[in-house]
C-alpha cells in the first residue's frame, strides 16, 4: 500500500524531491550540514565541519555558539520576541503562555539564581520535575550559563534518581514538592529526600511549589529533618559542610534575580547535557550531547520533516524526561522560532477526549505522539475523535517504537481525516535527532519509517557487516557520523566503543533490527539487544533483573519483553527463589513493588513465573533468547551451547 501526499502538502513542503536531495547530501554531507549551520547564530564560525576520528566525531570544531542563544536571544530583536514560545495547559485546564521575551526573562532569572548559588560552566544540575513550565525554564537556564543538565523523568523512583544524581555528580537538584497525576498526588519531594541520603556532591535543592496545601510537606520541616538525619549519619571523614544540602523554594530564589543574564559562549563541542538511558547492562548510560552539532541536527530535522512554518503550534506529547522532549518539545521548536505546546496531564485525564479537545481549542498544527498512545486511544473507538474539529492539523508524527499498520491507518483516518501525512520517525537518545524518517512530500507505506534523512548513511547488514538481501532482516547501522551524534557515554568511554562501534567495525550499531524492501523503504522490526520498549519507554533486561534480585528472597531472575497489544512490549520475569522460600501470589505482588521501588512505575512487571531453573550457557550467562522463543512458541534455535 502506498499513500501519496495531497497536493497542498507537497506545495507547502521544503523538500520536493527527496531522492535528488538525498543523493546530493550523501555525496557531500559536510557541505550539506555546513550550509544549513549558516542559518544559525555563531559567536565564532567553525574551522572544520567534521572532525572524524573513529569512533569519535566532533562537529563544527573551532566554532562557538550556544543552543540557548539560538533558541531565545536570537529572537529578541525580531518580531518573534512577542510571539508565544510556550503554551502550557495544566491538568485542571487552565493555561499559561510565555512569549519569547517572557520566557527569556524567566530563564535569565533562573540562570542568575543558579549563578548566585555558585553554579559554573560545566557543573551538573539534575532536573527531576514533572511536565510544568519550570522544567523547560530550568533546562534553558542551565545551558544559558554553560551548566550541564541531566533531566530525570519524574516517574523514576528514588533509587533510580539516586543512581543518576550520583553518576553525574550533580551539584544542584531541581524538583517539585509534589505534583498532580490524574486523580493522584505524587509526592516527588520524598523521592528526592531519599535519593539524597548520604549524597556528598549536591549542595542545593531548588523546589518548585507545584501544589499548595497541608498534605504536602512544608519545605523547612523537611529541610530540617534532612539536616538532622545527616548530622547523625555524617562520617568522620566527611566534613559536615560537604554532606549538607540547603533547600530553597524556586519562587523565592528567582524573585530576587535580574531578568538579564548574558548567554555563555560555548565551544561547539562543549557538553550541553547528559541524559541517562537504559542499555544491556544493569547500569543506565549517561548519553552526552554537545551544543553545536546537536543544535544543527535537531533544527534541520524538525524543520524539514514537519515542514515548520512561522505560525506553527507544535505539540509533542512526550516528556522532557526523554530525548524526544529535549529535542522536539523544547530546543528545536524554539530554535525554529515557533510555538511549542505542552499538556501537563496524561492522555486519559480528565477523560479520553482531552487530546482532541486541546488540538481543537488551541489549533495545534503539528502533532507528534507514540504508537502506544494511539493504540490505547483506539480502544475507545472513533467517536471520541470524530466529535472534534481537528482541521488545524497539517502533519502528524509517530515515535518510540514500531507503529503497526493497523494503528497507523487508524491515526491516518481518524486524526488525519485521510488528508495529512504521518511522519514515522526512527531515532534514539544516542542519535539526538530523526534518522530514518519520511518528509511530507513522499509516498508512505503504513508501518515503514521511509528512508534515511539527508546526510544519513544507513544500511541493514549481517553480523559481518555485509548488506543483507532485499526484505531480509538484519542489523540497522549508520555508516557515517551525523551532527547530533552523542559525544560519549559519561564516565564510561569503554562502553561507548563496545556497545556502538565494535559489534560491527567502523559503523554505528543501533541495536535495532530492520529490513529494506524493494523500493528502499525501511521497516524497523524492534530491538536486537536486551532493551525492552514498554509503552515506548526504554528499559534494560539486566536493569530489571538486578531490581528483582535486590529482594532478598530472590536467587536469580531473567527478564524478557513480550509483545503486548497496547504497550508494544510487556515485562515478563522468570524468578528462582532462594532455598526455603515458597512461591505465592503475595510474593508476586511484593516483587512487583520491589521493581517499582527500584526503577519506577513504568517498569511494573506484567507477569512473574517462579521457576526451578533457567537456560544458561556453559559460562553461566542466562539465555533470554531461549526463554523468549519458548514463551512465544517459536523454535528455540541453536541450543548446543546450553548448559542445561
Ligand atoms: C529506540 C530508542 C527517539 C525517541 C524516543 C525513543 C525505538 C524509536 C522508532 C520508530 C521503530 C523506534 C527503537 C530505538 N524506536 N522510534 N519510529 N520505529 N522503533 O528514544 O528511548 O532512546 O529509544 O526506540 O528501538 O532504538 P529511546
Amino acid at each position: 500500500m502506498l499513500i501519496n501526499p495531497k497536493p497542498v502538502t507537497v506545495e507547502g513542503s521544503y523538500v520536493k524531491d527527496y531522492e535528488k536531495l538525498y543523493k546530493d547530501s550523501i555525496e557531500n554531507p559536510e557541505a550539506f550540514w555546513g550550509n544549513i549551520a549558516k542559518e544559525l547564530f555563531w559567536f565564532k564560525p567553525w574551522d572544520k565541519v567534521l572532525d572524524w576520528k573513529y569512533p569519535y566525531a566532533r562537529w563544527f570544531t573551532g566554532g562557538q555558539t550556544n543552543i540557548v542563544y539560538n533558541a531565545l536571544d536570537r529572537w529578541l530583536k525580531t518580531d518573534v520576541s512577542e510571539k508565544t514560545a510556550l503554551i502550557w495547559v495544566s491538568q485542571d485546564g487552565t493555561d499559561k503562555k510565555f512569549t519569547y521575551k517572557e520566557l527569556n526573562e524567566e530563564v535569565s532569572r533562573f540562570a542568575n539564581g543558579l549563578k548566585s548559588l555558585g553554579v559554573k560552566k560545566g557543573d551538573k544540575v539534575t532536573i527531576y520535575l514533572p511536565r510544568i513550565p519550570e522544567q523547560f525554564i530550568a533546562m534553558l537556564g542551565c545551558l544559558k550559563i554553560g551548566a550541564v543538565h541531566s533531566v530525570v523523568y519524574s516517574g523514576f523512583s528514588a533509587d533510580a534518581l539516586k543512581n543518576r544524581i550520583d553518576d553525574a555528580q550533580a551539584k544542584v537538584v531541581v524538583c517539585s514538592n509534589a505534583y498532580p497525576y490524574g486523580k493522584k498526588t505524587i509526592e516527588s519531594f520524598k523521592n528526592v529526600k531519599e535519593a539524597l541520603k548520604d549524597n556528598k556532591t549536591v549542595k542545593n535543592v531548588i523546589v518548585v511549589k507545584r501544589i499548595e496545601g497541608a498534605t504536602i510537606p512544608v519545605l523547612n520541616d523537611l529541610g530540617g529533618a534532612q539536616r538532622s538525619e545527616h548530622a547523625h549519619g555524617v562520617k568522620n571523614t566527611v566534613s559536615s559542610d560537604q554532606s549538607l544540602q540547603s533547600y530553597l523554594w524556586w519562587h523565592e530564589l528567582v524573585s530576587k534575580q535580574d531578568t538579564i543574564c548574558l548567554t555563555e559562549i560555548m565551544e561547539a563541542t562543549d557538553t550541553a547535557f547528559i541524559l541517562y538511558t537504559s542499555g544491556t547492562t544493569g547500569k543506565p548510560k549517561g548519553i552526552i550531547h554537545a551544543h553545536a552539532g546537536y543544535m544543527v541536527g535537531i533544527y534541520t530535522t524538525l524543520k524539514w520533516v514537519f515542514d515548520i512554518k512561522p505560525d506553527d503550534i507544535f505539540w509533542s506529547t512526550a516528556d522532557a524526561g526523554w530525548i524526544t522532549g529535549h529535542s522536539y518539545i523544547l530546543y528545536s521548536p524554539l530554535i525554529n522560532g515557533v510555538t511549542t505546546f505542552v499538556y501537563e496531564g496524561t492522555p486519559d485525564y480528565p477523560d479520553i477526549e482531552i487530546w482532541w479537545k486541546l488540538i481543537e481549542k488551541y489549533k495545534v498544527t503539528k502533532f507528534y505522539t507514540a504508537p502506544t498512545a494511539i493504540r490505547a486511544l483506539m480502544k475507545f473507538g472513533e467517536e471520541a475523535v470524530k466529535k472534534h474539529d481537528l482541521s488545524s492539523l497539517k502533519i502528524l508524527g509517530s515515535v518510540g517504537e514500531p507503529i503497526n499498520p493497523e494503528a497507523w491507518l487508524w491515526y491516518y483516518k481518524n486524526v488525519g481525516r485521510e488528508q495529512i501525512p504521518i511522519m514515522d520517525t526512527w531515532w534514539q537518545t544516542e542519535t539526538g535527532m530523526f534518522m530514518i524518517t519520511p518528509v511530507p512530500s513522499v509516498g508512505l507505506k503504513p508501518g515503514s519509517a521511509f528512508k534515511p534523512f539527508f546526510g544519513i548513511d544507513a544500511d541493514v547488514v549481517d553480523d559481518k557487516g555485509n548488506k543483507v538481501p532485499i526484505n531480509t532482516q538484519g542489523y540497522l547501522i549508520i555508516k557515517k557520523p551525523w551532527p547530533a551524534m552523542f559525544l560519549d557515554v559519561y564516565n564510561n568511554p569503554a562502553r561507548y566503543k563496545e556497545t556502538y562501534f565494535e559489534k560491527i567495525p567502523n559503523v554505528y550499531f543501533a541495536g535495532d533490527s530492520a529490513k529494506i524492501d524493494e523500493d528502499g523503504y525501511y521497516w524497523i522490526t524492534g530491538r536486537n539487544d536486551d532493551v525492552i520498549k514498554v509503552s515506548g519507554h526504554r528499559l534494560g533486561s539486566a536493569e530489571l533483573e538486578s531490581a528483582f534480585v535486590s529482594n532478598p528472597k530472590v536467587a536469580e531472575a531473567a527478564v524478557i519483553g513480550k509483545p503486548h497489544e497496547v504497550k508494544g512490549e510487556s515485562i515478563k520475569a522468570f524468578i528462582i527463589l532462594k532455598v526455603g522460600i515458597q512461591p505465592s501470589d503475595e510474593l508476586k505482588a511484593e516483587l512487583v513493588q520491589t521493581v517499582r521501588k527500584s526503577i519506577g512505575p513504568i517498569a511494573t512487571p506484567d507477569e512473574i513465573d517462579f521457576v526451578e531453573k533457567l537456560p544458561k550457557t556453559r559460562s553461566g550467562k542466562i539465555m533470554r533468547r531461549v526463554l523468549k522463543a519458548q514463551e512465544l512458541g517459536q523454535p528455540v534455535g541453536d541450543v548446543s551451547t546450553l548448559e542445561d
Side-chain angles (χ1 to χ4, degrees):
M1 185 192 290
L2 190 70
I3 296 181
N4 283 310
K6 303 287 177 239
V8 32
T9 303
V10 180
E11 255 164 57
S13 180
Y14 287 109
V15 179
K16 301 267 190 318
D17 186 347
Y18 167 85
E19 299 297 342
K20 177 167 187 319
L21 187 56
Y22 181 74
K23 193 166 162 281
D24 293 350
S25 74
I26 222 71
E27 271 163 17
N28 198 344
E30 290 169 45
F32 174 79
W33 292 114
N35 275 328
I36 292 172
K38 289 180 197 149
E39 293 171 26
L40 297 170
F41 172 86
W42 300 79
F43 293 109
K44 177 173 169 275
W46 56 91
D47 302 324
K48 218 172 158 193
V49 173
L50 171 64
D51 181 11
W52 174 225
K53 287 193 192 77
Y54 167 83
Y56 290 107
R58 295 295 177 254
W59 287 83
F60 305 106
T61 50
Q64 290 176 331
T65 185
N66 187 316
I67 294 178
V68 174
Y69 200 97
N70 280 284
L72 295 174
D73 304 60
R74 181 163 66 112
W75 302 119
L76 298 180
K77 291 199 182 74
T78 72
D79 294 348
V80 179
S81 177
E82 295 302 330
K83 181 177 181 171
T84 306
L86 169 66
I87 303 176
W88 176 78
V89 180
S90 81
Q91 248 207 193
D92 64 20
T94 55
D95 63 31
K96 268 193 202 168
K97 292 179 185 166
F98 298 80
T99 63
Y100 273 83
K101 183 165 171 276
E102 288 163 346
L103 187 60
N104 181 59
E105 287 174 1
E106 295 302 324
V107 168
S108 299
R109 271 184 219 242
F110 179 75
N112 283 327
L114 285 178
K115 277 189 180 171
S116 75
L117 300 174
V119 176
K120 297 198 172 59
K121 198 174 189 169
D123 284 344
K124 315 295 183 299
V125 176
T126 296
I127 301 175
Y128 183 61
L129 282 171
R131 231 163 17 233
I132 54 178
E134 287 84 352
Q135 191 184 31
F136 306 107
I137 294 167
M139 291 166 76
L140 290 160
C142 287
L143 267 51
K144 192 173 186 39
I145 62 167
V148 172
H149 62 61
S150 160
V151 182
V152 178
Y153 176 57
S154 54
F156 276 120
S157 69
D159 291 355
L161 174 64
K162 181 183 171 48
N163 291 336
R164 288 160 174 80
I165 292 173
D166 290 352
D167 190 77
Q169 298 197 291
K171 217 169 151 182
V172 172
V173 173
V174 190
C175 63
S176 59
N177 61 344
Y179 64 93
Y181 189 78
K183 292 194 189 73
K184 288 191 257 178
T185 296
I186 309 289
E187 302 211 2
S188 43
F189 190 75
K190 285 192 176 157
N191 287 347
V192 176
K193 198 186 152 218
E194 203 181 318
L196 288 179
K197 264 184 208 153
D198 306 322
N199 176 284
K200 310 223 167 42
T201 62
V202 174
K203 299 271 187 272
N204 295 98
V205 183
I206 304 171
V207 188
V208 178
K209 195 187 274 179
R210 172 65 188 95
I211 293 186
E212 306 268 355
T215 56
I216 305 308
V218 178
L219 187 65
N220 288 339
D221 291 354
L222 276 169
Q226 173 84 10
R227 276 168 196 278
S228 60
E229 265 171 34
H230 267 285
H232 288 297
V234 173
K235 296 195 185 74
N236 290 338
T237 49
V238 181
S239 82
S240 56
D241 175 43
Q242 268 183 302
S243 60
L244 285 179
Q245 286 97 35
S246 87
Y247 292 82
L248 55 163
W249 287 115
W250 171 293
H251 57 272
E252 286 176 6
L253 174 72
V254 302
S255 67
K256 296 181 243 148
Q257 305 298 332
D258 201 277
T259 55
I260 294 170
C261 172
L262 281 189
T263 299
E264 192 72 33
I265 297 174
M266 303 300 287
E267 297 301 321
T269 57
D270 275 345
T271 298
F273 63 85
I274 301 172
L275 181 59
Y276 287 88
T277 189
S278 299
T280 47
T281 69
K283 218 174 151 257
K285 296 177 277 204
I287 300 298
I288 308 176
H289 281 289
H291 272 264
Y294 175 78
M295 171 180 88
V296 172
I298 62 171
Y299 162 70
T300 319
T301 43
L302 188 72
K303 183 172 173 183
W304 292 8
V305 173
F306 282 86
D307 268 339
I308 294 300
K309 300 288 156 57
D311 292 332
D312 271 327
I313 299 181
F314 184 82
W315 182 7
S316 159
T317 65
D319 187 287
W322 313 108
I323 191 68
T324 311
H326 286 61
S327 301
Y328 301 113
I329 296 179
L330 184 60
Y331 295 120
S332 184
L334 299 188
I335 295 167
N336 275 285
V338 296
T339 305
T340 191
F341 181 90
V342 176
Y343 173 55
E344 179 184 35
T346 56
D348 57 359
Y349 187 87
D351 56 56
I352 53 116
E353 284 175 36
I354 183 65
W355 279 7
W356 322 128
K357 282 184 193 155
L358 292 172
I359 292 174
E360 180 170 7
K361 179 168 176 198
Y362 291 94
K363 304 212 170 2
V364 171
T365 56
K366 313 279 159 85
F367 181 71
Y368 188 40
T369 194
T372 182
I374 307 280
R375 289 191 297 261
L377 293 167
M378 259 171 94
K379 291 203 143 200
F380 297 104
E382 299 177 357
E383 280 315 305
V385 196
K386 278 198 180 138
K387 278 202 280 199
H388 299 279
D389 176 6
L390 305 183
S391 59
S392 59
L393 289 173
K394 293 198 173 75
I395 291 173
L396 301 175
S398 172
V399 62
E401 47 174 325
I403 180 163
N404 47 313
E406 200 195 349
W408 197 104
L409 289 165
W410 189 90
Y411 192 24
Y412 182 68
K413 177 166 169 245
N414 294 291
V415 184
R417 311 284 148 94
E418 299 187 9
Q419 296 301 312
I420 58 175
I422 300 173
M423 302 295 107
D424 176 6
T425 60
W426 177 89
W427 59 295
Q428 308 174 301
T429 306
E430 293 87 340
T431 71
M433 63 184 233
F434 308 152
M435 299 294 280
I436 314 276
T437 174
V439 286
S441 60
V442 304
L444 300 171
K445 299 187 188 187
S448 160
F450 189 63
K451 301 180 188 184
F453 189 77
F454 307 101
I456 304 299
D457 195 354
D459 210 343
V460 176
V461 299
D462 63 19
D463 51 10
K464 306 229 159 38
N466 300 314
K467 194 175 175 66
V468 295
I470 281 171
N471 284 318
T472 308
Q473 181 166 302
Y475 301 111
L476 179 60
I477 58 154
I478 313 291
K479 295 193 264 189
K480 299 222 183 73
W482 61 96
M485 179 169 153
F486 62 141
L487 290 185
D488 212 336
V489 175
Y490 191 64
N491 285 337
N492 205 341
R495 208 163 158 197
Y496 173 85
K497 291 193 199 89
E498 281 158 26
T499 313
Y500 305 102
F501 290 96
E502 281 171 359
K503 297 230 161 86
I504 296 172
N506 289 310
V507 302
Y508 172 77
F509 186 83
D512 278 278
S513 294
K515 297 177 197 180
I516 302 178
D517 73 11
E518 55 288 350
D519 301 317
Y521 282 55
Y522 283 62
W523 299 77
I524 314 290
T525 50
R527 299 286 308 193
N528 55 39
D529 53 7
D530 290 311
V531 167
I532 306 176
K533 277 280 177 156
V534 182
S535 301
H537 300 321
R538 183 163 158 179
L539 297 162
S541 290
E543 187 184 7
L544 287 152
E545 288 158 3
S546 65
F548 276 107
V549 298
S550 73
N551 186 308
K553 293 173 188 157
V554 175
E556 277 187 88
V559 171
I560 60 164
K562 221 177 132 172
H564 186 279
E565 207 194 327
V566 174
K567 297 196 266 190
E569 282 189 287
S570 65
I571 297 165
K572 168 142 195 182
F574 300 86
I575 303 291
I576 303 181
L577 292 171
K578 288 212 178 125
V579 180
I581 307 286
Q582 293 308 314
S584 68
D585 285 344
E586 290 71 50
L587 184 51
K588 278 189 190 174
E590 180 185 326
L591 293 179
V592 168
Q593 288 313 314
T594 302
V595 176
R596 287 173 63 103
K597 184 167 180 310
S598 160
I599 303 173
I602 53 166
T604 306
D606 277 69
E607 283 176 76
I608 296 177
D609 277 7
F610 295 113
V611 296
E612 299 286 321
K613 274 183 180 166
L614 289 167
K616 283 188 191 159
T617 61
R618 286 189 194 106
S619 60
K621 221 174 142 250
I622 296 170
M623 294 180 84
R624 301 187 188 104
R625 140 183 104 70
V626 173
L627 286 168
K628 190 158 179 171
Q630 210 172 35
E631 188 65 31
L632 304 182
Q634 291 164 352
V636 290
D638 179 14
V639 286
S640 56
T641 55
L642 211 62
E643 182 230 24
D644 200 345

